[in-house]
Amino acid sequence: MAAELAVALPAVVVVIALGIGGLLAASTHVRLQDAAADAARLLARGEPGERAAGVVASAVAGARSASSHSGDLVCVTATADVPIAGIPVTLTSSSCALAGGL
């Protein structure tokens, strides 16, 4: 009985670590998406780019943002690197808002 437990325990620990890492990454991705949407709305209202970048950076530590204009839309892409069980994973979220909107 002890031998079977000794063989199975490392696999169980790896599965639990990956599960927790996946949940943390999903939570970070939701915050990153919300921050990208907020930043896009700020830029669409004419706020400075530094303020929009600050919103993204404050939502997720180490996050970066880039903005672009496409016709009447102002789009923001937010990117953050998140480790999952020691493996770095890059998360990216984009959001657009109508320029001049409220």
Side-chain angles (χ1 to χ4, degrees), residues 20-96:
I20 291 172
L23 288 174
L24 291 175
S27 166
T28 302
H29 195 262
V30 168
R31 287 183 301 169
L32 197 63
Q33 180 63 42
D34 288 343
D38 291 343
R41 284 191 294 271
L42 285 172
L43 289 176
R45 287 194 312 237
E47 296 286 335
E50 296 82 25
R51 182 161 181 220
V55 166
V56 172
S58 67
V60 177
R64 305 167 303 281
S65 64
S67 61
S68 64
H69 294 269
S70 176
D72 288 341
L73 295 177
V74 177
C75 298
V76 172
T77 300
T79 307
D81 295 321
V82 178
I84 298 178
I87 302 168
V89 176
T90 301
L91 302 176
T92 303
S93 293
S94 296
S95 186
C96 296

